[in-house]
């Protein structure tokens, strides 16, 4: 077994992203296909290595001894979000074209925000994913401050 395939650091820490999903197989296919991820473990939990991180997926469930009083479930509404995944790509046009070919649906085309080109997509469970390509920020140009959430 190759240690670099697993989210298990030899020292320090590694940050992963856990998603509660309705259908593990569907979510696994999405993250492996759209993001070119490597399936490390099929289920219980499903682990997909994507670039330099891991996405861990499992169906919802009730409290456990290590998380008493906590129930996990996939999002019920898609119009309210408190957190989202942020993906940075080298070429947003190529990525969005390839992702669409894999069945991904974007909310908009990439929009030029001065500092970056940015758009959002959703996974099969409705999780929001920001996709961006650094442009102006590489030269010290940043988006205008509007006083509202960016």
């Amino acid at each position: 077994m190759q240690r670099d395939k697993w989210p298990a650091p030899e020292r320090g820490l590694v940050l992963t992203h856990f998603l509660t999903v309705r259908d593990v197989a569907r979510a696994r296919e999405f993250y492996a296909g759209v993001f070119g991820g490597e399936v490390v473990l099929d289920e219980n939990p499903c682990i997909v290595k994507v670039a330099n991180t891991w996405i861990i997926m499992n169906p919802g469930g009730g409290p456990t001894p290590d998380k008493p009083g906590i129930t996990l479930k996939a999002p019920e509404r898609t119009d309210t979000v408190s957190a989202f995944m942020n993906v940075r790509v080298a070429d947003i046009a190529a990525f969005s074209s390839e992702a669409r070919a894999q069945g991904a649906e974007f909310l908009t085309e990439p929009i030029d925000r001065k500092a970056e080109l940015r758009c959002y997509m959703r996974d099969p469970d409705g999780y929001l994913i920001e996709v961006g390509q650094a442009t102006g920020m590489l030269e010290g140009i940043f988006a205008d401050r509007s006083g509202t959430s960016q």
Side-chain angles (χ1 to χ4, degrees):
M1 195 176 304
Q2 295 177 328
R3 186 176 184 92
D4 67 339
K5 291 187 182 276
W6 297 94
E10 291 185 35
R11 61 181 170 9
L13 64 90
V14 64
L15 187 63
T16 67
H17 196 77
F18 181 94
L19 298 174
T20 303
V21 300
R22 290 178 189 83
D23 182 330
V24 172
R26 181 180 69 172
R28 180 179 59 234
E29 183 179 313
F30 177 84
Y31 285 99
V34 171
F35 292 103
E38 176 185 359
V39 177
V40 175
L41 189 62
D42 284 339
E43 328 195 354
N44 297 324
C46 171
I47 302 175
V48 178
K49 184 176 183 187
V50 177
N52 58 352
T53 194
W54 290 264
I55 300 171
I56 301 172
M57 297 164 272
N58 240 353
T64 58
D66 57 340
K67 57 176 181 50
I70 304 295
T71 298
L72 298 178
K73 63 183 189 176
E76 293 178 11
R77 295 176 44 180
T78 59
D79 61 343
T80 302
V81 176
S82 61
F84 57 88
M85 194 178 310
N86 185 302
V87 177
R88 295 287 149 208
V89 297
D91 182 339
I92 199 166
F95 175 84
S96 60
S97 176
E98 291 168 14
R100 280 187 178 89
Q102 291 285 335
E105 295 181 21
F106 289 80
L107 303 181
T108 66
E109 292 296 319
I111 294 174
D112 189 343
R113 298 191 32 85
K114 292 185 180 179
E116 65 184 343
L117 300 173
R118 186 173 83 190
C119 58
Y120 290 85
M121 61 191 292
R122 290 198 184 274
D123 82 353
D125 286 285
Y127 286 105
L128 190 65
I129 303 168
E130 177 183 306
V131 180
Q133 176 185 338
T135 53
M137 69 175 60
L138 299 175
E139 298 174 17
I141 301 167
F142 297 94
D144 294 333
R145 298 276 183 227
S146 64
T148 61
S149 179
Q150 298 292 313

